[in-house]
Amino acid sequence: MKEDLHILLQRALQSLEGSLRSGPVDPQLIVLDRARDSAHGDFASNIAMRLAKAAGKPPRAIAEAIIAALPASPIVERVEVAGAGFINFFLAKDLYARELVRIHEQGEAYGRHRPEHPRKVLLEFVSANPTGPMHVGHGRQAAFGDALGNVLAAAGDVVTREYYINDAGRQTEILAVSVWVRYLEACGEVLKFPENGYRGDYIRPVAHALHQREGNALRHPVTTVFEGLPADAPEGDKEKHIDALIARCRTLIGEPAWERVLESSIAAMLAEIRDDLDGYGVHYDNWISERAFTQGGAVDRALERLRAKDLLYVKDGAEWFKATQFGDDEDRVVVRENGVKTYFASDIAYHLDKRERGFDLLIDVLGADHHGYVTRVRGGLQAFGHSGDCLEAPLIQLVALFRNGVKMSMGKREANFVTLRQLREEVGNDACRIFYLMRSNDQSLDFDLDLAKSKSNENPVFYVQYAHARVASVMKELAVRGMEYDAENARQIVLDRGASLLAGPQAEAMLSCVSRYPEVIRQSATQRAPHALVHYLRELATTLHAFYNAERVLVPETEIRSARVYALLAVQQVLRNGLEVLGVSAPESM
RNA sequence: GCGCCCGUAGCUCAGUUGGAUAGAGCGCAUGGCUACGAACCAUGAGGUCGGGAGUUCGAAUCUCUCCGGGCGCGCCA
């Protein structure tokens, strides 16, 4: 609807190029918005005001000229100049009724855009370390990433979802040693658990499984294990302590056994994460293992290329990347003094690989605490000649969980924290997702458990789902009463007399709102803002509820009934499409 | 100290390529079920858009500055 109008405006401006003294007008410049006040018509454009300065003419004069140059079209009833130079479009009355027909014809595809040359987008999100279960912060990232992927796909991008498994590096070694220490306990040893280990209960089953497989083969007396290690916190340094413990473990049990512990621990954590995401309805196209990626030599090759470009140098025994050349605050280490490559090194290679796989746009959904990291990764891409713009990193602000009005602690190394699974089981997937998605990603979120569970009106999921179910209920009632509804017949009635049959403030508001859906999808994609869709769906549900309360649907008059049912089914379709994009179910009854 | 995010109605928040009278939900007040689901609807009260300055036809939106809150600033990931 909006696109048709946009084309008319473009044509008008093209024909005026000479007289406006402003040269060709970039179509991007043409802003066309829904009028907030119906007195201003259906759509309004401020293009005349934007051109006024360059053209050296008053906005209203330009507006008049544009209107005069506007090609005749059946969709436009009349056009006015208003205010400082707004061009207000009043559309043909039957246009909204015709849009209903379009919704019925396109069904699930309504609102989806099909550009000629779709972008290839790589969307990486969650990528939580496989060192424990996902927490409520990951839940927000998962909901956002998944919905954003759906929104982009609906807007016409080809989206690939990827999970990068951080299964290399120190954190996984800490995981393995945590499992081993719990294993020692399972063997009957009594000891003090390291401060910097993963102390969560989820470690214990992994340790018990290890005990079942290995028996006491990896058991060593506590005195041997801790003999001569640097002191743990609070007296000593917990980092030094755990690193020494890792080294001790590897010596005592041997490298082959260490590898078994490491791999089985990671596999167990990863299985739980995949299971969690699966249960949450989040599915990936690719799972990329950092270890496999590194072992394939990709990181070494990337570093070699950087050396060849003279973008690495050695200082203090470590090798550094000249990140400052690309806007970072300081240069960054890629190879540590001990010869081990940093996570950043593999991330450079990984992002380079994404581009070399042919993706136009890379999106990393990150927790807000990673914001300082983005510049250097972008710098890595720029070092290989890629534009910095090809990487975007929407930051997801923190989630604070409240129960009974009390904020709950969330550290992964703490014994007790609320997992995503617990949250889902407590409040349900749908409420969970909507709650996460209704706020802008750069707004921190207080997740009130009691509120999400209470089925109160403050949780819009019920409101929107109820609107959807309500239409289903009307259809059931129609059948119960034995009333006639023929879709083809209704279509013809709406095409012929839709504007008059669906008149009245509530019907008009509903029809106008439902026709906005394609615009909302586009805007939501452009702004990387799934929450805009949540707000829209709530608004659409409002117009449906208002219409339902104002007008009786199942009336004896066939034409009126058909038109109203036809309209409700169209709104229901759009609600379903929108909920689908958000990853929320659209129930027939509640 | 530096960087990023946030500050809008009593509460939680929408509103960013600058546009017409700043919106929604909750809460509060009042009203609506003997006909399709009242998990709903209708009406109303409620604002110096954190403060100040600037840019211009026009600023919640852009710039500067100050205040307040959150998060980062590792040879961790």
Side-chain angles (χ1 to χ4, degrees):
Chain A
M1 191 178 273
K2 178 177 171 179
E3 286 170 21
D4 301 334
L5 213 49
H6 203 270
I7 290 167
L8 290 180
L9 255 180
Q10 278 182 50
R11 293 224 189 102
L13 287 162
Q14 273 165 18
S15 68
L16 288 172
E17 270 175 25
S19 58
L20 280 181
R21 216 175 70 191
S22 57
V25 176
D26 181 0
Q28 294 280 328
L29 218 63
I30 306 173
V31 174
L32 196 56
D33 283 317
R34 294 269 175 170
R36 198 146 28 97
D37 187 336
S38 61
H40 298 146
D42 298 288
F43 285 87
S45 178
N46 63 359
I47 186 65
M49 288 177 280
R50 299 183 71 135
L51 295 176
K53 186 162 279 182
K57 292 178 183 173
R60 289 190 68 105
I62 296 175
E64 296 287 0
I66 292 172
I67 291 173
L70 221 46
S73 165
I75 68 171
V76 179
E77 191 184 87
R78 71 193 153 89
V79 189
E80 293 179 347
V81 180
F86 291 99
I87 303 173
N88 291 338
F89 293 87
F90 294 77
L91 300 184
K93 289 246 185 317
D94 63 347
L95 212 59
Y96 292 106
R98 290 181 178 280
E99 192 71 7
L100 294 180
V101 175
R102 194 185 294 190
I103 294 168
H104 276 270
E105 283 171 357
Q106 298 185 0
E108 290 177 9
Y110 182 74
R112 305 190 80 89
H113 303 272
R114 306 297 305 172
E116 275 183 57
H117 305 288
R119 278 186 309 192
K120 283 183 69 183
V121 178
L122 188 91
L123 180 63
E124 184 197 337
F125 60 107
V126 182
S127 295
N129 289 349
T131 55
M134 295 203 295
H135 54 64
V136 295
H138 295 128
R140 189 177 188 190
Q141 291 176 37
F144 177 86
D146 192 48
L148 178 61
N150 291 341
V151 161
L152 291 173
D157 293 324
V158 176
V159 179
T160 299
R161 293 144 205 267
E162 201 155 283
Y163 189 112
Y164 188 61
I165 308 162
N166 299 130
D167 53 3
R170 181 166 172 263
Q171 297 302 331
T172 54
E173 295 183 340
I174 295 176
L175 169 73
V177 86
S178 301
V179 168
W180 183 61
V181 170
R182 290 298 187 207
Y183 159 89
L184 291 178
E185 287 181 341
C187 292
E189 300 289 337
V190 177
L191 47 76
K192 179 178 170 297
F193 197 83
E195 282 295 323
N196 207 30
Y198 292 103
R199 22 187 357 115
D201 289 336
Y202 60 89
I203 297 290
R204 294 179 195 275
V206 184
H208 279 103
L210 183 66
H211 189 217
Q212 295 236 311
R213 282 198 310 276
E214 305 271 352
N216 283 336
L218 310 181
R219 179 176 182 176
H220 293 270
V222 168
T223 45
T224 317
V225 171
F226 290 98
E227 187 185 4
L229 293 189
D232 198 0
E235 311 87 44
D237 184 333
K238 62 180 183 179
E239 306 281 354
K240 281 183 181 153
H241 177 77
I242 197 111
D243 284 338
L245 186 59
I246 290 166
R248 174 66 48 85
C249 172
R250 296 172 77 149
T251 309
L252 289 174
I253 70 176
E255 283 303 315
W258 168 254
E259 281 296 319
R260 290 203 301 278
V261 175
L262 189 65
E263 283 179 20
S264 64
S265 303
I266 292 170
M269 294 302 117
L270 198 56
E272 190 164 341
I273 288 171
R274 294 179 81 134
D275 200 46
D276 256 3
L277 287 166
D278 201 54
Y280 198 30
V282 176
H283 307 288
Y284 288 85
D285 300 294
N286 301 325
W287 294 75
I288 305 287
S289 156
E290 184 188 356
R291 295 185 98 197
F293 185 71
T294 305
Q295 282 163 10
V299 181
D300 291 324
R301 285 195 296 275
L303 292 182
E304 196 47 56
R305 286 166 69 181
L306 288 175
R307 277 188 206 102
K309 290 170 183 286
D310 197 28
L311 288 168
L312 299 186
Y313 64 93
V314 175
K315 188 184 82 176
D316 301 335
E319 194 162 16
W320 301 67
F321 169 62
K322 295 179 180 173
T324 46
Q325 288 199 5
F326 306 101
D328 204 355
D329 297 333
E330 47 189 309
D331 292 341
R332 306 291 177 177
V333 171
V334 286
V335 183
R336 289 194 275 266
E337 201 176 357
N338 63 9
V340 177
K341 290 180 279 289
T342 61
Y343 175 79
F344 175 50
S346 70
D347 231 11
I348 291 175
Y350 173 47
H351 283 82
L352 178 65
D353 179 69
K354 288 179 180 177
R355 284 290 280 173
E356 294 183 343
R357 277 187 276 155
F359 290 101
D360 306 305
L361 177 63
L362 314 181
I363 300 181
D364 290 0
V365 177
L366 297 176
D369 53 340
H370 285 69
H371 70 81
Y373 191 67
V374 179
T375 309
R376 77 185 78 158
V377 175
R378 183 171 284 135
L381 282 166
Q382 288 170 313
F384 289 96
H386 297 289
S387 157
D389 296 336
C390 73
L391 174 67
E392 289 181 17
L395 301 173
I396 312 300
Q397 292 295 326
L398 302 187
V399 178
L401 209 51
F402 286 78
R403 190 191 290 283
N404 303 322
V406 181
K407 188 172 177 176
M408 308 175 73
S409 67
M410 302 257 301
K412 201 187 249 189
R413 287 198 175 78
E414 290 171 36
N416 293 306
F417 63 93
V418 179
T419 62
L420 174 59
R421 175 163 306 193
Q422 289 165 344
L423 184 67
R424 286 200 293 111
E425 284 168 356
E426 197 167 330
V427 312
N429 274 358
D430 289 341
C432 207
R433 284 220 185 201
I434 289 279
F435 230 80
Y436 277 135
L437 290 173
M438 61 194 288
R439 303 283 150 73
S440 157
N441 59 286
D442 47 27
Q443 189 79 240
S444 64
L445 176 67
D446 289 345
F447 200 121
D448 187 327
L449 275 172
D450 308 294
L451 195 62
K453 271 192 307 183
S454 72
K455 306 200 174 185
S456 86
N457 294 334
E458 206 158 332
N459 188 339
V461 70
F462 300 106
Y463 186 78
V464 177
Q465 288 182 326
Y466 180 47
H468 183 271
R470 203 166 213 183
V471 178
S473 175
V474 171
M475 296 310 287
K476 279 178 212 151
E477 184 63 21
L478 180 119
V480 167
R481 295 188 191 183
M483 289 174 133
E484 176 204 349
Y485 175 75
D486 177 74
E488 179 50 37
N489 193 32
R491 175 178 175 276
Q492 203 53 54
I493 289 169
V494 167
L495 276 176
D496 293 343
R497 301 186 49 214
S500 56
L501 290 172
L502 295 168
Q506 290 82 10
E508 283 163 16
M510 183 170 77
L511 264 52
S512 168
C513 189
V514 77
S515 75
R516 267 169 49 210
Y517 180 67
E519 295 157 39
V520 171
I521 287 292
R522 194 181 287 272
Q523 184 203 356
S524 185
T526 305
Q527 299 184 353
R528 321 277 187 254
H531 74 271
L533 182 54
V534 178
H535 287 275
Y536 166 78
L537 289 177
R538 192 201 321 231
E539 194 182 336
L540 182 58
T542 297
T543 66
L544 185 139
H545 288 310
F547 174 75
Y548 180 91
N549 276 280
E551 312 281 4
R552 188 139 300 276
V553 179
L554 300 180
V555 292
E557 299 86 348
T558 305
E559 285 210 325
I560 298 175
R561 185 177 69 243
S562 296
R564 288 178 180 167
V565 169
Y566 194 80
L568 282 191
L569 286 174
V571 174
Q572 188 194 37
Q573 178 74 58
V574 170
L575 288 172
R576 191 157 54 232
N577 291 1
L579 287 170
E580 166 88 24
V581 168
L582 296 176
V584 174
S585 69
E588 296 286 308
S589 66
M590 301 174 64

